[in-house]
């Protein structure tokens, strides 16, 4: 991918950024050409995009309240079953709320939690990883030991433990997911920074008198970004499943806010007479996570063939 | 020499264990206010004296470092404090629930490996065949499927619709079983109780499949990819050139080497089993440690949550340790 060469370190900002821009454009074109060879991944990307659009325009594409129901409409079957109507395309739950509406609004929560928790994890993890990998020494071993310690906890257990003590809620959820989520990014960024640090362009940048932070931010980070980007995509799917699991247990998003995990949990009492209440939100989760993972694997094959699983 | 290295490894795990205990201890400090306030806030009428008494019972009136020291020394003696709600030692409560959880984890691991090994090997030997493509698509689905939903789907199909398997619990309500070890399957065999054996096995199927599905998917993918690499390697070519049969080339030469990365991944799955265990136990009403923790969280029974989280983390550390040790036996090239 984008390899920055020593000539770019000539401290003429205009020239440097001109080269960067052209490189970036060339790389993105190449990227699209490569990605098109993975049609399944592109399809995954399209599905993700549809979810994002649905989440943004939730009000426009639904016609019921996501939180208030009418008990007269409770447990109505989906439109394709006998007794169903297009008024409630995927049926209603025990409180008479439209499941389709709640799934669409639930996409907001899932995507928001996924993007925010991974975003914060990435920023913290990459920053600490760059610091540790570039500086090495005591600060590196300090952060690395702490990261090792966090790795001694299975992810879900740690998140459940933190939610138990923090209490449920959106902000606490993001906190619980990022408190351990940064470690993966830290390890990746640290390893890559150590590898990059031995390369000649870093030495060249140093000779031209650039400051450490300039070398890290504008010379080294752009080179490790593709790998980081791949991990980011794959982690979003994981975080969405984790959030859904926490909400399923009642530790995540609290009712009446629609979250897919708690919707599946609600439907458990009606498995015998209304299977759709649990099943429909589950389909929404699986389709989204599958799409994200397919897209992520395609990205990985293109951007970081080293990580490829055949 | 090897023994020395294993001992080194064991010693290195000690600071990690201590660190884990400290983090879990600090968990409780995350709560705004102190646990007694929260507990009492829900209890209704209490006197100031009672609150003081509780504070001193849980050592909350001492400075933080002293509390930490008391906590760590308690752990060394296997003392994790008393449960707020059940008024019994946490260690005892956990020990009672462990057999159910271990039984489920073993069932899940067994299912996962039984599915993963044939699929991983066949997919590698017949790369790009229909079997390979279908299995890998299935594995991909397995990775993306949240376990709680898979569990509900299985209940809908096999319990509600087909009525083949029970929905909840570890054993039928009408079946009598004298517990010896707490492992129902083992107990049924020990006491020669055929009815209980069938009932407990039937109850074990769906939870094990639910919990083991992710394990099967991940292990199958890794085994396949490392098998592919080994099958292309020079030593397998050499074995074939020397006239080794297909079976011998695959089983003796490729599989043995492909096992090395696979063992690491299997070890990591213990973490998946532990975390998934809370979910699956909630779905199937399985009376194990996961249920205990979730109930304790809602009852705000902090010592119990603390103890259980610690048991989970220690198990995970121990599992990784065992994998490290196994690794040296499988791969003599690796210096620990």
């Amino acid at each position: 991918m984008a390899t920055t060469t020593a000539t770019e370190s000539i401290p003429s900002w205009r020239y440097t950024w001109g080269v960067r821009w052209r490189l970036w454009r060339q790389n993105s074109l190449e990227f699209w050409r490569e990605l098109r060879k993975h049609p399944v991944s592109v399809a995954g990307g399209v599905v993700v995009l549809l979810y994002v659009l649905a989440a943004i325009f939730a009000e426009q594409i639904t016609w019921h309240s996501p939180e208030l129901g009418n008990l007269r409409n409770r447990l109505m079957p989906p439109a394709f079953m006998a007794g169903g109507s297009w008024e409630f395309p995927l049926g209603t739950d025990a409180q008479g709320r439209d499941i389709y509406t709640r799934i669409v609004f639930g996409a907001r929560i899932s995507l928001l939690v996924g993007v925010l928790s991974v975003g914060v994890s990435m920023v913290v993890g990459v920053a600490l990883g760059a610091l540790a990998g570039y500086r090495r020494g005591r600060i590196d071993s300090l952060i690395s030991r702490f990261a090792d310690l966090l790795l001694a906890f299975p992810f879900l257990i740690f998140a459940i433990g933190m939610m138990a003590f923090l209490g449920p809620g959106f902000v606490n959820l993001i906190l619980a997911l990022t408190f351990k989520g940064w470690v993966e990014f830290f390890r990746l960024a640290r390893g890559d920074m150590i590898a990059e640090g031995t390369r000649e362009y870093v030495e060249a940048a140093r000779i031209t008198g650039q400051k450490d932070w300039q070398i890290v931010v504008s010379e080294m980070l752009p080179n490790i970004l593709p790998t980081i980007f791949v991990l980011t995509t794959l982690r979003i799917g994981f975080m969405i499943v984790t959030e859904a699991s926490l909400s399923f247990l009642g530790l995540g998003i609290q009712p009446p806010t629609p979250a897919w995990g708690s919707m599946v949990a609600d439907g458990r009492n009606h498995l015998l007479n209304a299977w759709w209440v649990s099943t429909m939100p589950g389909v929404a989760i699986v389709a989204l996570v599958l799409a994200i993972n397919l897209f992520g694997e395609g990205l990985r094959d293109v951007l970081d063939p080293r990580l490829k699983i055949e | 020499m090897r023994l020395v290295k294993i001992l080194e490894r064991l010693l290195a795990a000690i600071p990690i264990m201590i660190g884990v205990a400290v983090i879990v201890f600090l968990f409780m400090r995350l709560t705004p206010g102190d646990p007694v306030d929260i507990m009492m806030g829900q209890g209704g009428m209490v006197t100031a004296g009672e609150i003081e008494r509780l504070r001193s019972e849980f050592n909350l009136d001492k400075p933080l470092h002293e509390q930490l020291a008391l906590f760590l020394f308690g752990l060394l003696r296997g003392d994790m404090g008393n449960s707020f709600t059940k008024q019994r030692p946490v260690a005892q409560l956990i020990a009672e629930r462990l057999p159910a959880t271990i039984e489920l984890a073993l069932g899940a691991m067994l299912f996962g490996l039984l599915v993963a090994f044939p699929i991983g090997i066949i997919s590698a030997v017949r790369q790009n065949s229909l079997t390979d493509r279908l299995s890998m698509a299935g594995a991909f689905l397995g990775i993306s499927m949240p376990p709680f939903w898979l569990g509900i789907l299985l209940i809908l199909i096999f319990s509600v619709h087909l009525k083949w398997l029970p929905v909840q619990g570890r054993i039928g309500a009408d079946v009598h079983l004298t517990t010896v070890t707490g492992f129902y399957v083992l107990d049924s065999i020990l006491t020669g109780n055929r009815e209980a054996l069938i009932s407990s096995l039937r109850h074990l199927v769906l939870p094990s499949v639910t919990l083991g599905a992710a394990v099967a998917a991940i292990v199958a993918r890794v085994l396949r990819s490392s098998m592919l690499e080994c099958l292309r390697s020079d030593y397998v070519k050499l074995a074939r050139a020397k006239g080794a049969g297909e079976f011998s080339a695959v089983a003796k030469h490729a599989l043995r080497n492909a096992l090395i990365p696979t063992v690491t991944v299997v070890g990591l799955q213990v973490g998946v089993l532990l975390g998934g265990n809370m979910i699956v136990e909630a779905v199937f009403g399985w009376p194990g440690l996961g249920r205990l923790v979730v109930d304790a969280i809602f009852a705000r029974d902090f010592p119990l949550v603390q103890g259980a989280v610690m048991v989970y983390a220690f198990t995970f550390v121990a599992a990784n340790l065992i994998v490290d040790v196994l690794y040296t036996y499988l791969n003599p090239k690796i210096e620990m």
Side-chain angles (χ1 to χ4, degrees):
Chain A
M1 282 317 305
T3 38
T4 329
T5 52
T7 49
E8 281 172 64
S9 313
I10 297 166
S12 151
W13 287 98
R14 245 179 113 169
Y15 171 75
T16 319
W17 285 100
V19 171
R20 287 229 163 99
W21 163 246
R22 261 174 284 144
L23 262 177
W24 184 81
R25 233 184 57 143
Q26 190 191 329
N27 281 330
S28 348
L29 285 174
E30 194 186 314
F31 170 72
W32 282 118
R33 263 201 304 279
E34 282 296 312
L35 194 66
R36 278 214 306 259
K37 290 181 196 156
H38 298 78
V40 186
S41 292
V42 176
V46 171
V47 172
V48 175
L49 196 65
L50 287 178
Y51 269 87
V52 173
L53 288 176
I56 295 173
F57 298 108
E59 274 94 359
Q60 282 74 34
I61 58 170
T62 56
W63 49 91
H64 290 285
S65 159
E67 294 180 10
L68 293 172
N70 184 342
L71 283 178
R72 263 182 300 181
N73 297 328
R74 69 192 300 264
L75 301 178
M76 298 255 286
F80 52 83
M81 279 172 67
S85 84
W86 283 103
E87 176 71 16
F88 306 105
L90 301 177
T92 60
D93 66 9
Q95 296 181 47
R97 295 174 297 194
D98 179 37
I99 291 176
Y100 162 72
T101 305
R102 284 176 64 74
I103 287 179
V104 172
F105 277 87
R108 276 192 181 169
I109 298 287
S110 279
L111 287 169
L112 215 57
V113 170
V115 169
L116 275 180
S117 60
V118 175
V120 177
S121 300
M122 182 192 66
V123 171
V124 174
V126 171
L128 290 177
L131 180 71
Y134 187 76
R135 275 279 164 79
R136 308 301 306 270
R138 195 178 293 168
I139 190 139
D140 177 25
S141 49
L142 195 74
I143 307 175
S144 296
R145 285 297 87 74
F146 185 56
D148 285 347
L149 214 54
L150 288 178
L151 281 179
F153 292 90
F155 197 96
L156 192 59
I157 303 283
F158 193 83
I160 288 175
M162 275 200 80
M163 288 310 279
F165 293 108
L166 288 172
F170 186 81
V171 177
N172 289 349
L173 190 62
I174 303 290
L175 257 176
L177 293 178
T178 46
F179 203 86
K180 192 170 140 60
W182 64 274
V183 175
E184 311 260 317
F185 288 97
F186 167 76
R187 283 160 56 97
L188 185 68
R190 176 181 173 272
D192 279 2
M193 284 302 273
I194 291 174
E196 289 291 318
T198 61
R199 293 182 47 184
E200 278 167 357
Y201 75 88
V202 178
E203 195 53 36
R206 237 177 245 137
I207 292 166
T208 59
Q210 291 197 50
K211 294 194 179 66
D212 280 349
W213 68 266
Q214 277 179 335
I215 300 176
V216 170
V217 172
S218 59
E219 303 290 338
M220 295 168 81
L221 273 183
N223 289 336
I224 68 170
L225 273 185
T227 346
I228 306 279
F229 191 48
V230 172
L231 184 65
T232 306
T233 321
L234 292 171
R235 291 305 279 180
I236 289 179
F238 174 79
M239 288 295 193
I240 288 177
V241 171
T242 308
E243 178 271 318
S245 304
L246 288 170
S247 294
F248 175 80
L249 290 174
L251 295 169
I253 303 294
Q254 294 299 294
T257 309
W260 294 339
S262 50
M263 289 171 71
V264 173
D266 283 346
R268 270 191 303 170
N269 298 325
H270 307 283
L271 288 182
L272 286 175
N273 53 348
W275 56 267
W276 54 89
V277 184
S278 268
T279 315
M280 297 299 178
V283 174
I285 305 174
V286 174
L288 176 59
V289 175
L290 202 59
I292 292 177
N293 287 346
L294 284 172
F295 183 62
E297 297 234 329
L299 273 189
R300 184 183 56 196
D301 292 352
V302 174
L303 293 178
D304 195 5
R306 227 162 18 124
L307 293 172
K308 185 170 177 163
I309 294 180
E310 272 186 273
Chain B
M1 241 11 246
R2 214 174 243 181
L3 197 66
V4 175
K5 275 173 185 153
I6 290 170
L7 276 176
E8 260 171 37
R9 222 41 213 221
L10 280 172
L11 287 177
I14 292 174
I16 297 228
M17 297 268 195
I18 295 175
V20 164
V22 172
I23 287 186
V24 173
F25 172 80
L26 290 176
F27 259 171
M28 195 131 121
R29 308 294 128 187
L30 289 169
T31 36
D34 81 37
V36 173
D37 283 336
I38 293 162
M39 211 168 80
M40 288 298 124
Q42 297 172 333
M45 306 286 279
V46 273
T47 60
E50 258 178 280
I51 291 182
E52 279 316 304
R53 193 186 55 74
L54 270 171
R55 283 233 163 87
S56 72
E57 188 189 327
F58 293 111
N59 297 322
L60 291 168
D61 50 353
K62 298 193 175 68
L64 199 63
H65 61 272
E66 229 173 279
Q67 289 182 40
L68 178 63
L70 282 169
F71 179 71
L72 290 178
F73 281 116
L75 271 186
L76 274 182
R77 296 192 312 264
D79 173 13
M80 295 194 258
N82 280 326
S83 149
F84 279 168
T85 50
K86 303 197 168 146
Q87 319 296 343
R88 286 175 54 204
V90 167
Q92 208 179 26
L93 286 164
I94 291 176
E96 279 170 15
R97 294 295 192 105
L98 264 182
T101 293
I102 295 173
E103 193 172 66
L104 176 55
L106 289 177
M109 195 53 121
L110 187 70
F111 169 79
L113 297 182
L114 280 180
V115 171
F117 268 78
I119 285 185
I121 295 169
I122 293 170
S123 292
V125 175
R126 308 242 152 94
Q127 195 192 358
N128 293 330
S129 66
L130 187 67
T131 326
D132 177 28
R133 279 164 193 274
L134 281 180
S135 321
M136 284 308 111
F140 208 83
L141 193 66
I143 289 173
S144 309
M145 179 117 52
F148 60 88
W149 191 64
L150 178 62
I152 283 178
L153 222 54
L154 290 174
I155 290 178
L156 270 172
I157 298 170
F158 293 100
S159 307
V160 175
H161 193 68
L162 296 171
K163 297 195 172 37
W164 287 354
L165 292 163
V167 180
Q168 287 234 320
R170 287 181 74 190
I171 197 161
D174 50 342
V175 180
H176 179 76
L177 174 69
T178 341
T179 47
V180 187
T181 57
F183 295 89
Y184 282 8
V185 175
L186 187 65
D187 286 351
S188 323
I189 296 170
L190 285 178
T191 54
N193 190 337
R194 230 184 117 216
E195 194 193 5
L197 180 64
I198 292 170
S199 177
S200 53
L201 281 175
R202 275 163 49 90
H203 279 83
L204 194 56
V205 175
L206 290 185
S208 301
V209 172
T210 308
L211 190 54
V215 176
I218 297 168
V219 175
R221 273 163 64 101
V222 172
L223 183 60
R224 173 180 176 274
S225 90
S226 45
M227 275 294 282
L228 279 176
E229 208 171 288
C230 293
L231 283 171
R232 281 184 209 136
S233 67
D234 289 340
Y235 53 81
V236 171
K237 274 186 205 143
L238 177 69
R240 284 197 167 124
K242 278 164 60 183
E246 183 61 23
F247 177 80
S248 149
V250 171
K252 267 203 210 141
H253 298 270
L255 183 60
R256 240 209 105 180
N257 286 287
L259 272 183
I260 296 168
T262 312
V263 163
T264 320
V265 173
V266 171
L268 285 175
Q269 295 320 301
V270 174
V272 175
L273 288 182
L274 291 171
N277 145 273
M278 292 206 186
I279 306 288
V280 174
E281 291 190 358
V283 173
F284 290 94
W286 192 265
L289 194 52
R291 276 292 294 284
L292 188 71
V293 181
V294 175
D295 291 345
I297 289 173
F298 287 113
R300 316 226 80 180
D301 191 340
F302 294 119
L304 189 48
V305 178
Q306 235 180 9
V309 169
M310 206 136 46
V311 169
Y312 278 120
F314 280 2
T315 314
F316 194 43
V317 173
N320 285 329
L321 198 65
I322 293 169
V323 167
D324 274 348
V325 173
L326 265 182
Y327 214 84
T328 39
Y329 279 98
L330 278 172
N331 189 1
K333 274 190 295 189
I334 296 278
E335 289 279 315
M336 270 173 103

